[in-house]
Amino acid sequence: MKKKLFFAVLLAALCGNAGASSGGYRAGEKAPPPHREDAAKKGTEDTLATKAKVIRDFRQGGYVTLEGYIIHEQKPGHYLFRDSSDTVRFMAPRSAFRGQVYQASEKVRVSGRVYGKADETFMKVSRIDRP
């Protein structure tokens, strides 16, 4: 009888604790998208959005976010992007614009992967937003 009572009390104590905790990992929630992780200004100069001049030395396929201006459409889906440091080419499908239309005078944030080296560097952009 004492063993049954002991196990009943032990089981009640363990079940009570498990139901009370609300922290931890939840499989149903999604992680924030990658383009939002590093784009915010966090207070130091080295955590600001990357500059176009710097991406010429990035690794192939590296994900990057730039803030600047779309200055020219070279041909459908191919554009020139300019920020305060340099100009870089990028390719973007219509879906990257998410139904928005941007003018050359509007500042935008482009996020995508870097390909090529030196003067042949270009980006494959997956998302274009307003900063």
Side-chain angles (χ1 to χ4, degrees):
M1 173 87 165
K2 288 183 182 181
K3 284 185 182 180
K4 288 183 183 179
L5 181 61
F6 173 74
F7 285 118
V9 170
L10 181 63
L11 184 60
L14 291 176
C15 289
N17 251 356
S21 65
S22 63
Y25 175 74
R26 293 187 187 155
E29 295 180 8
K30 292 183 179 179
H35 68 277
R36 295 277 187 205
E37 290 178 342
D38 296 323
K41 295 175 174 63
K42 298 179 180 108
T44 61
E45 189 173 318
D46 60 342
T47 59
L48 298 175
T50 308
K51 298 291 185 188
K53 186 176 185 176
V54 178
I55 71 166
R56 298 189 188 286
D57 298 325
F58 269 35
R59 65 181 169 83
Q60 297 292 305
Y63 199 86
V64 67
T65 298
L66 301 175
E67 287 185 9
Y69 303 90
I70 300 172
I71 57 172
H72 181 65
E73 182 176 13
Q74 296 176 317
K75 59 183 178 179
H78 294 76
Y79 305 89
L80 279 178
F81 175 88
R82 178 185 49 81
D83 67 6
S84 59
S85 68
D86 203 359
T87 302
V88 67
R89 295 177 302 127
F90 75 87
M91 295 184 303
R94 285 279 176 225
S95 60
F97 287 90
R98 302 186 189 277
Q100 298 293 317
V101 177
Y102 301 101
Q103 297 178 1
S105 61
E106 293 179 274
K107 193 170 193 174
V108 296
R109 178 181 295 146
V110 297
S111 299
R113 302 213 177 268
V114 177
Y115 295 97
K117 286 285 184 187
D119 291 336
E120 300 299 318
T121 301
F122 68 97
M123 289 178 62
K124 289 186 180 177
V125 172
S126 58
R127 185 175 180 110
I128 302 173
D129 291 315
R130 287 187 170 84

